[in-house]
Structure formats: C-alpha cells, structure tokens
Amino acid sequence: MTNARPNILLLYTGGTIGMVKDFKTGALRAFDFKNLLEKIPELNLLDCNINSVSFEDPIDSSNMNPEYWVQITELLEAHYNQFDGFVVLHGSDTMSYTASAISFMLENNTKPIVFTGSQLPIGHLRTDAKENLITSIQIASLQHNNIPIIKEVCLYFEYKLYRANRTTKINAEHFEAFASFNYPDLAESGVHLKVNHDYLLKPNLKEKVQFHKHLDKNVALIKLYPGISEHVLQSIFETPHLRGVILETYGAGNCTTESWFVELLEKAIIKGIHIVNVTQCSGGSVIMGHYETSSQLRSIGVISGKDMTTEAAISKLMYLLGQKIATEDFKTIFETSLRGEIS
Ligand code: ASP
C-alpha cells in the first residue's frame, strides 16, 4: 500500500490564534486565512496537503453559540470525504464547549478533528500559536496503513492532546490553558510525539458517519452555593419551554437536604424537565447515594452526570434534547458514554 500524503483541512472560526496586530490602530484583527501558507512558511515543511476554509466573519469565541456549532458541523460534513483530518482553529475561551458539542453532533466519526487555538496571536514574537497549529496538523496527519490513528474529536494545546469532551479551560494566562482531570492525555508532544494508543477512542469503522444538526437550547446551568434561595431557583424552573437543567452540586454530587429544595426539583421532574447532577469539583465523579445529601436526588429521578465535565454535560443535554428520544429512555441514554465522555 502506498502512503499518500494526507489531506488536511484547516477550519478557522476565529479567536486570538488567527489575529494579527494592525500596526496603525494597535488592535487585533482576524487575518485572511487564504494567505496562511505565506504567513507560516513552516507549514510547507509538513508532510501533508493543507487547505483551509474560514467563517465568513470570524468570531471571538465568547460569541460562540449552537448556531455556529451547526455551521461547523455543516463545514465538516461538506468536506468530510475529501479530507483525512481536520484542524479547527477556535478561540480558547469556549473551545471546550464547542469541541464537546461537535463530538456529540458527529456520530460514528472515524477521522481526527483537532481543536486548537492560542493565548497569543500567531504574529506575536512569543506566540504559542505556531507550535499548537503545527503539532495539531501533524496529529491530524498521523496514519497507519492510510488510516488515521486518531479517530475522535480532540483538543491540542501546549504540548498535550486531550479528548475534547473531557477538557476544561483552567487558565486565562498560562500557555497551559486546558486540563482533562478525569481522562488521561491522548498524546504528548516532546522530542517525540508520543501517542497513548490505549486511551484512544476505537470507533467501529464500518458504521456510516452521521451529522446531527438539531440542538435544543431550552436548558439551564445552575451552580449551587450555600444560601441559594428558593425564589432564584423557582424562577429558573419556571422558565417557559425549559426542558433540561444541569445542576452543579458539591463534591460527589451532594446538595442541601432542605425539603423546599428537593420538592422543587421533584415537581420539575414530574413536569418533564430533565435534571442532571454534575460536580463543581474539577476532578472526580458524582456518586448519587454515597451520602445522605444525594440519595434523595437519586430517588426523585435526577440523572447522574457521573464524571462528565460541565461543558460536556450541557452540550450533551442540548444534543439529546434535539433528538427524538422517549422520556423514559432519556436518563439511561444520558448516563451512557456516547463518545467517551464518561469513564
Ligand atoms: N477571547 C479569545 C477567544 O476565545 C481568546 C482566545 O482566542 O484564546 O476567542
């Protein structure tokens, strides 16, 4: 079998990585990605063919939303068969949300889709953008017998490759901006690119990829804190059309046992609102029933988010609510790992 050069598509959505300083105004602006190869001549040295597409109006990722997630999915769908791997350039602020959402929206994906970005623009002298971009392209190009080695949606930042739906942005200043507390790194970049093959997702290569584009935004994310009032919670649960809530609880999934609180949740569940319990802790898992302060949640039918990140849980909720899933199956499906998001 001859080894053809892999075809890689760069998809630029916006973010610091693709910005250059306008020397007249001093402000950062998106640069034309068609000129990418001219701006970063190192890309010519990579053993792959690179093409690029860009959002018409690149955005700061703080403006990201599910409509843009659909746009990214459509771009991936339009180019899926012509390319062996994809690198999505995205602002780091909401990258974990987008990358998690895309992992759910692509069912039976068998190609590398690597999200990356940077803390400093690509034209900055001390930029982290070049290493992040070059290594992401190399990772997307890794093949064995013309088949990609990475077959999942992942996120590369500062020498580490993570499973996308396990990541969280943890630092606004350090180059090491992301972490994956509940799942090991998929690869590390040092003198050698070391892939941890045992931890990679191994999808069934015979299944056909499907692109899901229906997301339901009628969800809410509530972080508990000591003293949260009944009024505040009640008003959230009375939101018109609300269909699902991610509840960030304490420790292993614990919350207050006050009767007004449990009754409020129970009423919402009876009304058909799905409530998911995830932990506020960076690492570890929800274990409902481990303490008295979580056993009531289990008995009223709260869904366990297990060791899912908040980013994965909220995007999975929008994705599953967008599918036609029978109410009685929703809890079981949510608690099942669909794309390696649960241990
Ligand atoms: N605010 C920027 C964004 O998320 C920061 C970055 O690109 O890292 O788009």
Side-chain angles (χ1 to χ4, degrees):
M1 213 180 265
T2 53
N3 257 343
R5 271 161 69 97
N7 294 318
I8 305 300
L9 184 70
L10 300 187
L11 204 159
Y12 178 53
T13 67
T16 305
I17 189 165
M19 295 183 175
V20 280
K21 209 177 208 146
D22 185 319
F23 285 105
K24 278 194 204 125
T25 64
L28 290 176
R29 60 171 171 75
F31 81 72
D32 188 352
F33 250 72
K34 290 192 196 86
N35 304 331
L36 185 72
L37 285 171
E38 284 165 33
K39 287 256 164 53
I40 316 168
E42 294 94 324
L43 295 183
N44 290 311
L45 302 174
L46 294 171
D47 199 14
C48 58
N49 307 315
I50 302 172
N51 282 67
S52 65
V53 286
S54 170
F55 270 13
E56 212 165 305
D57 293 309
I59 56 162
D60 185 295
S61 80
S62 305
N63 285 320
M64 194 39 82
N65 61 38
E67 287 74 36
Y68 285 121
W69 295 346
V70 171
Q71 219 172 298
I72 295 171
T73 302
E74 283 170 349
L75 283 169
L76 291 170
E77 182 175 23
H79 297 92
Y80 198 79
N81 293 333
Q82 299 99 277
F83 290 89
D84 303 292
F86 302 85
V87 174
V88 183
L89 301 168
H90 192 290
S92 62
D93 288 348
T94 61
M95 196 190 297
S96 291
Y97 289 91
T98 303
S100 298
I102 299 301
S103 79
F104 296 116
M105 293 164 81
L106 267 66
E107 191 176 348
N108 304 321
N109 168 50
T110 55
K111 297 192 177 181
I113 300 176
V114 186
F115 277 76
T116 196
S118 66
Q119 295 281 56
L120 285 174
I122 212 148
H124 195 287
L125 266 185
R126 292 175 46 249
T127 190
D128 51 334
K130 282 194 184 179
E131 200 285 319
N132 285 347
L133 177 58
I134 289 168
T135 309
S136 293
I137 296 172
Q138 281 186 322
I139 287 168
S141 307
L142 291 175
Q143 294 196 341
H144 181 68
N145 291 339
N146 289 342
I147 293 180
I149 290 180
I150 311 287
K151 305 178 185 72
E152 60 181 295
V153 182
C154 37
L155 189 155
Y156 181 80
F157 223 89
E158 192 63 4
Y159 304 110
K160 284 186 181 161
L161 182 75
Y162 311 99
R163 174 163 301 155
N165 55 34
R166 295 301 195 127
T167 61
T168 306
K169 184 170 179 183
I170 50 149
N171 203 300
E173 196 182 319
H174 293 171
F175 285 143
E176 192 165 350
F178 289 88
S180 164
F181 290 105
N182 284 337
Y183 199 74
D185 306 335
L186 301 182
E188 281 147 62
S189 168
V191 172
H192 302 288
L193 197 53
K194 187 170 159 272
V195 178
N196 298 319
H197 291 268
D198 290 348
Y199 300 128
L200 300 179
L201 209 60
K202 294 170 186 77
N204 183 346
L205 301 183
K206 291 189 186 118
E207 298 284 350
K208 195 172 175 313
V209 63
Q210 286 184 57
F211 300 87
H212 298 284
K213 287 168 248 167
H214 293 287
L215 298 162
D216 192 332
K217 288 195 292 185
N218 290 303
V219 296
L221 168 60
I222 303 171
K223 182 172 186 156
L224 292 189
Y225 53 91
I228 191 165
S229 82
E230 188 172 354
H231 290 305
V232 167
L233 276 183
Q234 212 158 25
S235 65
I236 298 174
F237 279 103
E238 278 165 10
T239 307
H241 313 296
L242 187 70
R243 294 187 65 207
V245 169
I246 303 294
L247 197 64
E248 270 199 6
T249 58
Y250 313 123
N254 307 315
C255 60
T256 173
T257 49
E258 283 174 87
S259 55
W260 67 264
F261 176 78
V262 181
E263 279 162 22
L264 203 145
L265 297 192
E266 191 172 16
K267 264 195 221 146
I269 292 172
I270 291 168
K271 250 174 48 185
I273 296 173
H274 302 285
I275 302 179
V276 181
N277 183 356
V278 297
T279 174
Q280 298 180 6
C281 294
S282 310
S285 182
V286 161
I287 312 169
M288 286 202 287
H290 191 52
Y291 288 91
E292 192 198 346
T293 44
S294 68
S295 25
Q296 275 174 305
L297 296 186
R298 187 171 60 179
S299 62
I300 62 171
V302 168
I303 298 169
S304 175
K306 301 186 183 177
D307 67 343
M308 243 183 279
T309 61
T310 297
E311 292 89 334
I314 193 91
S315 54
K316 185 175 185 177
L317 188 59
M318 289 191 224
Y319 162 69
L320 287 181
L321 288 173
Q323 309 296 302
K324 303 258 171 296
I325 293 171
T327 311
E328 60 272 24
D329 299 332
F330 197 90
K331 185 172 187 291
T332 312
I333 296 178
F334 202 100
E335 290 179 352
T336 305
S337 182
L338 303 179
R339 314 280 190 264
E341 75 279 10
I342 297 175
S343 298

